Amino acid sequence: MTSSRADTVDYTTQCTVLITYLDGDRQDRLVYERPQTQVPAGPLSTFDRIRISQFPTDDELTVEARRIFADMKRNDRIGKSSTLSSVFIARTAAAALEMSL
């Protein structure tokens, strides 16, 4: 039995981005990891705020995923008629399991 992403990705330092798209009659997906930071419990120090601001937000990751999808179409890695279905960001193992990653 192969291990799932939820078992192999360290969600204290990474998140998983899932791009789902339709290519003709087939639904397909692209999955990749990006660095992330954990917000410490309790009040944030100035250093914590600076460190956290250096990691991409969900909105920034969504824009990145849309650009990756557009680049894949432009470079013929997927069909020209492919359409973006959704972008999902799993920041925890539980979220990854929920998406069957």
Side-chain angles (χ1 to χ4, degrees), residues 21 23 26 68 71-79:
Y21 62 93
D23 192 357
R26 187 182 82 221
I68 289 170
D71 186 60
M72 289 174 62
K73 280 179 68 170
R74 189 172 33 259
N75 291 313
D76 295 325
R77 293 184 185 159
I78 58 176

Side-chain angles (χ1 to χ4, degrees), residues 44-73:
L44 297 177
S45 68
T46 301
F47 176 74
D48 289 333
R49 292 175 203 269
I50 292 168
R51 184 175 49 82
I52 290 168
S53 71
Q54 295 175 355
F55 288 87
T57 64
D58 286 357
D59 289 340
E60 291 167 333
L61 288 172
T62 300
V63 168
E64 175 187 81
R66 290 176 185 269
R67 287 180 179 155
I68 289 170
F69 174 77
D71 186 60
M72 289 174 62
K73 280 179 68 170

